[in-house]
Amino acid sequence: MRVPKVRKVAEKFNPFSLEETKLLLHSDYHEERLCALIILVHKSQKAEKNELKKIFDLYLKNTNYINNWDLVDTSAEHIVGAYLSDKDRSILYELAKSDNLWERRIAILSTFHFIKNDDFEDTLAIAELLLEDEHDLIHKATGWMLHETGKQDEQVLKNFLDKHIGIMPRTMLRYAIEKLPESDRQMYLSM
């Protein structure tokens, strides 16, 4: 089932309770888990603080079911990032050190919410933790968040690159510099 259809189904079943949505999240079918996460994103965007905490907790207790890049990318920013925007963010650092690939991706993708609010500190700190990660999907996600940081403040990105260019995985670097001027891209690629 294509994503637009999954989104339409999620809209129809948005009134699901958190418990019903959790059952859907536990499905063996990827599309049903995606639908559950879209429902949770919709709920989190309209939730009061009390309900938002419940959604956040449900999400983090069920990361074993958030087990593909698109599931993380659809939800982490909107559920984890949004919830933590005015709270202690130490959980992101725990996730970044997890043995679970998807929890590490949740850590970096959650910071997209902060980036959009010109808050780069956690993105850069988590990116540093992930510099030596062995998985290409983490390189891509981290490079993407660095790229988004650079869209907000190019100098912040360049400072990070200047500091870490020597150990940065090539995929991460390519994603990070994608929108820099050609001369800058060529300079970083040659380092």
Side-chain angles (χ1 to χ4, degrees):
M1 184 183 281
R2 296 192 184 276
V3 173
K5 281 193 174 188
V6 174
R7 289 190 182 282
K8 283 187 180 183
V9 170
E11 274 183 46
K12 183 176 180 180
F13 292 98
N14 198 26
F16 268 17
S17 69
L18 287 183
E19 198 55 42
E20 291 167 320
T21 307
K22 178 182 168 184
L23 291 174
L24 192 58
L25 182 59
H26 286 205
S27 172
D28 290 335
Y29 296 99
H30 175 86
E31 292 81 5
E32 290 181 1
R33 292 192 308 276
L34 178 60
C35 185
L37 290 167
I38 293 169
I39 290 170
L40 289 175
V41 167
H42 287 290
K43 285 184 176 305
S44 70
Q45 291 169 339
K46 297 175 182 171
E48 300 290 325
K49 281 188 177 185
N50 180 25
E51 186 76 359
L52 196 54
K53 170 80 167 118
K54 289 178 185 176
I55 294 167
F56 172 81
D57 289 343
L58 181 135
Y59 188 90
L60 289 185
K61 287 177 184 168
N62 290 280
T63 56
N64 287 343
Y65 300 96
I66 306 168
N67 57 2
N68 202 333
W69 66 268
D70 63 329
L71 300 178
V72 173
D73 295 7
T74 298
S75 58
E77 165 197 357
H78 304 290
I79 295 173
V80 179
Y83 178 75
L84 294 175
S85 65
D86 61 349
K87 295 173 184 61
D88 175 66
R89 300 173 183 174
S90 57
I91 185 68
L92 295 180
Y93 296 85
E94 292 173 35
L95 292 170
K97 294 174 186 174
S98 172
D99 291 335
N100 181 318
L101 159 70
W102 307 115
E103 289 184 352
R104 296 193 310 273
R105 191 166 175 112
I106 288 168
I108 192 66
L109 261 290
S110 294
T111 69
F112 201 178
H113 182 83
F114 315 146
I115 293 167
K116 290 177 179 177
N117 293 290
D118 293 326
D119 179 356
F120 312 120
E121 184 179 337
D122 294 295
T123 303
L124 300 175
I126 292 169
E128 278 188 17
L129 290 175
L130 298 174
L131 280 170
E132 296 185 34
D133 197 284
E134 295 180 5
H135 206 288
D136 192 55
L137 288 172
I138 298 301
H139 301 170
K140 290 176 181 177
T142 305
W144 174 24
M145 291 303 99
L146 290 170
H147 161 83
E148 293 297 332
T149 298
K151 282 171 51 178
Q152 298 291 99
D153 189 326
E154 192 175 286
Q155 193 56 53
V156 170
L157 170 61
K158 287 180 175 181
N159 291 345
F160 183 90
L161 295 173
D162 292 343
K163 183 176 178 184
H164 299 291
I165 191 74
I167 59 169
M168 207 171 182
R170 199 72 165 169
T171 301
M172 187 186 297
L173 174 62
R174 286 190 179 278
Y175 273 69
I177 65 173
E178 186 177 49
K179 296 294 181 183
L180 289 179
E182 180 65 22
S183 59
D184 289 340
R185 286 199 316 274
Q186 290 307 319
M187 178 192 69
Y188 285 115
L189 287 170
S190 69
M191 296 174 90

